[in-house]
Amino acid sequence: MSVNLRHEELQLEQEKRRVALRRARELKARIDGYLKEKQNIPNGFEIQEEYCQAKAAILNYFQAGEEQWKDWHWQMTNRIRDVKVLGSLLKLTSEELEDIDKVGRHYRWAVSPYYLALAIAGGVKGPVWVQAIPSIEETKDRYGAEDPMGEEFTSPAPAITRRYPDRLIINVTNQCAMYCRHCQRRRNIGEIDVHKPRKALESAIKYIKENTEIRDVLITGGDALLLSDKQIDWLLTELDNIPHVEIKRIGTRTPVTMPQRITPELCAVLEKHPPIYINSQFNSPLEVTPEAKEACDRLIKAGVVLGNQAVLLKNVNNNANVMKKLNQSLLKIRVRPYYIFHAKAVKGTRHFITGIDEGIEIMEQLRGHTSGLAVPTYIINAPNGYGKTPILPQYLVENKGEQITLRTWEKRIIPYNLGGKSH
Ligand SMILES: *Cc1c(COP(=O)(O)O)cnc(C)c1O
């Protein structure tokens, strides 16, 4: 090889490296803003000191210890639903307490001690607090319907909601460890905890048996994991005995609101019935705590695949950096972001509703800016039970058959010939 050729090759290599370095500098500049902001958006691991203080105060109030804290039955029976308890744990004004009490008489509230400790740690009226503690805004909502999605008209059999060709929901309970203030099924929450009677569940199973196109069954509520291990085992066994049911899904917020529910005994049941997919609802990075991680680790060891369905909520997560930190924190505990739901106008939840532009902007700030694994699908539920509808920023700006125009994540407008011709 001639000395000259070798020299040219080296020069070309150096030029390529220079271009790549310039591009890398550009990419580094794109993330600067987030890296600074991220420091101010703690996740649950980063507020452990505050959490432990709040937990100690609650345990002291109940005269209980670590063993009880870890027991989900203790967490359930000691759910806080009374302003007297709140008032003795925190410095709230009598007006604030009266407001909570007043709203609580319209719309029931109850918070597991675990989730209340997190709410206190995250700050009064912070992103965890507002999901759990009644706000006077709930009574000011004069619009909004009880059932804006017309779910009542999509139930072909007891306990079933069907909106799709090959999958459906079984509603097993109205009970929850914490009653979300943004709950979309408020009308079902009522004043008392009730599991669906065995007879209704048997009718639901019968419907699934008779409709052989159903290959995917979602067990939800309320919170499906508030059934006993025995009831869950029974239901999963019934579903496993139906040859056309290929997968089971469980909808539960317990990994977020009461991770103590995820016991070795429950996991032993779940492990017997693969394949199981569990979707939870983490809405704030503050909810990604060491205890939530432990619960997720156990589920994963039992062979369960984990996903997250966040709800886009004003003053909780209607901010791209918060969503980014949430989704990145979830991936660290092996929970894959699946959906972001646009909140519906259910009566009493208006103060959580955001504009659709906010959701689109969040999607814009996720795609390309962070791992594709951290990018869920943004969904709005169509009225009348017509189903989940994806909303996303426009990336295909022109489509003339072979000649298209793309808009990239950095907002570069690029003509592209699919047939490889230059234009
Ligand atoms: C959300 C939902 C499903 C599941 O939808 P996927 O997009 O498959 O996750 C199924 N049935 C009903 C009634 C639903 O609301």
Side-chain angles (χ1 to χ4, degrees):
M1 196 192 274
S2 81
V3 177
N4 261 348
L5 247 176
R6 180 93 194 90
H7 180 69
E8 266 175 35
E9 236 172 61
L10 263 173
Q11 275 202 324
L12 190 62
E13 283 306 307
Q14 279 174 354
E15 179 53 21
K16 282 186 192 165
R17 180 59 42 81
R18 264 195 298 275
V19 171
L21 282 169
R22 202 182 316 129
R23 176 64 172 146
R25 275 196 300 277
E26 201 174 49
L27 293 171
K28 268 163 118 41
R30 295 233 182 272
I31 201 174
D32 267 355
Y34 176 63
L35 291 182
K36 281 196 203 92
E37 272 294 305
K38 187 180 147 182
Q39 317 288 333
N40 307 321
I41 307 170
N43 64 25
F45 283 82
E46 295 156 343
I47 54 155
Q48 278 302 291
E49 208 174 300
E50 294 84 347
Y51 167 75
C52 288
Q53 273 173 18
K55 174 181 164 184
I58 295 172
L59 280 176
N60 183 51
Y61 176 88
F62 287 113
Q63 289 297 296
E66 193 61 37
E67 204 168 308
Q68 280 125 325
W69 192 262
K70 287 199 161 122
D71 172 4
W72 75 276
H73 295 289
W74 182 86
Q75 289 278 340
M76 279 305 285
T77 38
N78 292 292
R79 282 181 302 175
I80 291 90
R81 48 189 119 194
D82 188 326
V83 285
K84 278 195 221 91
V85 189
L86 270 193
S88 70
L89 290 168
L90 286 153
K91 283 195 204 76
L92 295 171
T93 67
S94 56
E95 197 193 346
E96 283 170 320
L97 290 171
E98 269 164 38
D99 279 355
I100 294 168
D101 197 40
K102 193 169 136 197
V103 180
R105 272 182 262 130
H106 276 278
Y107 297 114
R108 154 195 216 198
W109 67 289
V111 193
S112 67
Y114 166 80
Y115 200 75
L116 182 64
L118 201 57
I120 294 171
V124 171
K125 304 208 171 119
V128 179
W129 181 278
V130 297
Q131 291 182 66
I133 308 297
S135 152
I136 197 69
E137 297 296 322
E138 294 176 41
T139 57
K140 291 182 182 163
D141 183 354
R142 287 178 296 117
Y143 306 97
E146 302 275 333
D147 178 24
M149 293 306 125
E151 283 193 339
E152 313 276 81
F153 300 99
T154 51
S155 180
I160 282 182
T161 305
R162 181 170 185 183
R163 292 182 192 162
Y164 294 109
D166 69 342
R167 58 205 186 281
L168 52 71
I169 282 179
I170 311 184
N171 217 288
V172 294
T173 180
N174 79 340
Q175 197 177 24
C176 290
M178 185 278 278
Y179 293 101
C180 301
R181 304 326 294 166
H182 57 278
C183 181
Q184 309 279 288
R185 298 210 176 101
R186 271 183 172 221
R187 66 182 191 283
N188 296 340
I189 294 310
E191 285 310 311
I192 46 157
D193 291 339
V194 275
H195 294 331
K196 276 271 151 59
R198 179 61 68 97
K199 262 218 142 49
L201 295 185
E202 280 166 358
S203 308
I205 297 283
K206 183 163 171 285
Y207 178 86
I208 297 166
K209 266 187 196 146
E210 288 168 355
N211 292 272
T212 56
E213 70 282 7
I214 300 302
R215 42 162 288 288
D216 175 3
V217 176
L218 269 94
I219 307 166
T220 183
D223 195 311
L225 288 188
L226 289 193
L227 294 192
S228 69
D229 295 352
K230 239 177 104 178
Q231 284 168 306
I232 293 167
D233 197 14
W234 171 80
L235 190 56
L236 291 172
T237 306
E238 288 293 311
L239 292 171
D240 281 347
N241 287 336
I242 304 175
H244 53 272
V245 173
E246 297 172 1
I247 64 171
K248 283 110 26 214
R249 296 199 246 176
I250 297 174
T252 176
R253 234 196 142 185
T254 56
V256 183
T257 57
M258 191 179 63
Q260 295 78 11
R261 172 65 184 103
I262 313 302
T263 60
E265 294 76 21
L266 171 68
C267 291
V269 169
L270 298 178
E271 198 170 6
K272 290 195 299 176
H273 302 281
I276 295 181
Y277 292 77
I278 288 187
N279 277 330
S280 196
Q281 187 198 131
F282 289 86
N283 290 329
S284 163
L286 293 171
E287 293 166 339
V288 183
T289 66
E291 277 133 304
K293 176 182 187 296
E294 200 184 318
C296 293
D297 284 346
R298 279 189 181 155
L299 289 169
I300 290 162
K301 279 213 184 90
V304 176
V305 182
L306 298 179
N308 190 56
Q309 306 189 154
V311 183
L312 179 58
L313 299 169
K314 196 190 273 178
N315 295 326
V316 175
N317 58 17
N318 58 333
N319 169 290
N321 290 327
V322 170
M323 273 296 184
K324 206 177 287 176
K325 176 92 183 230
L326 169 64
N327 291 338
Q328 291 174 351
S329 301
L330 286 172
L331 288 181
K332 285 169 80 173
I333 64 165
R334 293 184 283 179
V335 177
R336 169 77 156 94
Y338 178 51
Y339 282 149
I340 294 177
F341 287 120
H342 190 81
K344 312 161 210 167
V346 174
K347 198 173 185 59
T349 69
R350 170 165 290 262
H351 55 297
F352 286 112
I353 308 275
T354 67
I356 202 104
D357 288 349
E358 294 182 64
I360 293 174
E361 178 58 18
I362 287 168
M363 297 313 294
E364 178 79 54
Q365 293 301 326
L366 290 177
R367 174 61 65 196
H369 295 267
T370 191
S371 316
L373 285 169
V375 186
T377 307
Y378 178 39
I379 290 283
I380 186 157
N381 253 301
N384 306 319
Y386 284 138
K388 298 182 175 71
T389 309
I391 307 283
L392 75 170
Q394 190 56 264
Y395 293 105
L396 183 64
V397 287
E398 198 170 40
N399 178 5
K400 293 185 178 163
E402 205 165 79
Q403 188 62 42
I404 62 169
T405 306
L406 292 177
R407 200 224 38 171
T408 71
W409 65 276
E410 293 167 289
K411 304 197 166 128
R412 291 171 204 266
I413 304 291
I414 305 180
Y416 181 36
N417 188 285
L418 299 171
K421 296 176 210 143
S422 65
H423 70 113

